Amino acid sequence: MTDKYEDASAHYGREVRKDPRLVGTTGDLYCQKIAGTSGAEVPRETSHTDVESNYFKSAQWSADGTTLLTSSADNQLRTFILPPDLLSALSPHVLRPYATHTLPSPANALAIHPAYDLSTATTALYLASPSSLPVRLISPFIPGILASYPLINPTTEAYIAPHSLLFDKYGSNGNHFFAGSESEISIFDINRNGEGPMSRMKTIPSRRKKIVGGGVGMKGIVSALALSSDGMLAAGTFARWVGLYGSGGRGDMAGVFEVYKNHEDEDGVGEGAGITKLMWSSCGRYLCVVERGSDGIGVWDVRSTGKRLSWLRGRKAKTMQRLAAEVVGNEVWAGGTDGHVRVWGDLGKVEGILEPIWTFQASSDALSSATMHPSGTVFATCSGQRHIATQEDEEEDEDLVSGSPSGRDHSISSRKICDNRLNTTALKSIKSLAPLLDRILVQRIKAETKTAGGIFLPESSVKELNEAKVLAVGPGGLDKEGKRVAPSVAPGDKVLIPQYGGSPVKVGDEEYALFRDHELLAKINE
């Protein structure tokens, strides 16, 4: 950790955090060319396309926290189911995929069902958009394709492959999904196999709307979609526009702005080459705009459309590769081309240019994804990028395809191409955990082990108390109308918890628990 980030941490009044502990990794299995990876998993014949370096393009958690879905350069979608003793094992687990789905072409976008439950086949689903083909519905438990959803150009009758996918987790309980394409957002029903979209919404105004004065819109491929907690759909394009749509993404455009207009300067603030991800703050007031070819992340106040509130500088992501980021509580976590994860704090609270408050190295190569487990205690990263081959590599590729012996050890030399791994790390500070929705983080109050007279009691005589201290609370759940319900307790409160239940969380040697707000029995007023 450099002095720069230690100074920034002190500026925000936070302690310097410890580097997380590695608890799971794919190791060297994917640190090689596509042919080597395929041969290690399922032996098959080698083709000329297999001599390229393999690398992870993305990774994302399922809603229940049991599964990691990854996409790689070899057009393989892999689901990794985490072992139950991930945090308690003495050494890092070796992660291997539970299921693999082969796409015929690279995936433009992926989306996991918002109610994904490993024990329920009807929700253990995800969507994939292979280029030039219909969107696919896939399950890690059922081979093949469960359903497909074609999006067809009415003029050329060619398939349109969406560049962004998003399940509607509020308005339809995950039965509908949004798909972004060229100047259009389409809405599909997952129960209508083989059918096109239910509705298609153009992001550019029609000629008739322009005539009557309704010429608000944006052009370009819709490359990113995000739905806020209060039902505002944000859509971003490679042309660096952002559009906002009300009524859960089904209403008229509420606003539109260019992220580059009048916001670039000589220091690179505001620079970018196309939006790749949009992220809402938990309150739904601030929108984080992530771009390729940019060293920062813009934070926008949607209450004042077109006004950038702050710029998160030092991301280290000047590349056309998609490097993801994520909002964790009131912080933003992002990976860079140097293999470092950087964290910025006080999302939406501070204006101007902000520096990272914490950083740690997770890989020696570019981090394409950096994503937090729903519990907030485990962080997953995947790494790798396309590297330029040397003359020696090209000679090795020819030997690999033709099968001629060269005396080289391909398994060793190919691993020098990139550090392409999927890693899971356990956070060492409970302050890194930010409860979601109506979840409450508590720590049980320990019973006294010594009497008033100074006599120490044996462990068998010490009863476990049902009292706990509230350490952190989520922003609150949503009612049937989609309105936010504030938590009934606050950090520092003393509460009565049930003897059993809750989700246990262990950080270091300390034990904690996550409860739903309605699961708490009482608030203790002293």
Side-chain angles (χ1 to χ4, degrees), residues 428-447:
K428 295 183 179 180
S429 173
I430 195 62
K431 293 183 179 180
S432 302
L433 194 151
L436 302 177
L437 297 177
D438 62 341
R439 293 178 177 86
I440 310 295
L441 176 66
V442 303
Q443 185 174 29
R444 192 183 295 268
I445 296 175
K446 297 178 182 179

Side-chain angles (χ1 to χ4, degrees), residues 26-42 49-56 72-74 78 96 365 383-387 393 396-397 400 409-421:
T26 55
D28 293 336
L29 176 59
Y30 304 107
C31 298
Q32 50 190 313
K33 298 177 183 178
I34 293 176
T37 300
S38 302
E41 289 187 330
V42 180
T49 58
D50 292 337
V51 298
E52 296 183 3
S53 60
N54 196 13
Y55 59 94
F56 283 106
S72 300
D74 57 2
R78 297 176 173 88
R96 292 294 180 263
D365 214 329
S383 57
Q385 60 181 310
R386 181 176 287 110
H387 290 263
D393 293 330
E396 180 182 326
D397 294 342
L400 186 61
D409 185 348
H410 298 294
S411 63
I412 296 177
S413 60
S414 60
R415 289 179 182 175
K416 298 177 182 178
I417 294 176
C418 62
D419 182 16
N420 182 37
R421 305 169 192 266

Side-chain angles (χ1 to χ4, degrees), residues 334-388:
T337 55
D338 58 355
H340 280 76
V341 175
R342 292 175 174 82
V343 181
W344 295 264
D346 295 326
L347 176 59
K349 297 180 181 180
V350 182
E351 296 186 26
I353 299 175
L354 305 182
E355 302 288 352
I357 60 172
W358 183 41
T359 181
F360 65 90
Q361 186 164 6
S363 172
S364 60
D365 214 329
L367 292 177
S368 50
S369 283
T371 178
M372 182 69 74
H373 189 275
S375 70
T377 58
V378 179
F379 194 68
T381 59
C382 66
S383 57
Q385 60 181 310
R386 181 176 287 110
H387 290 263
I388 300 175

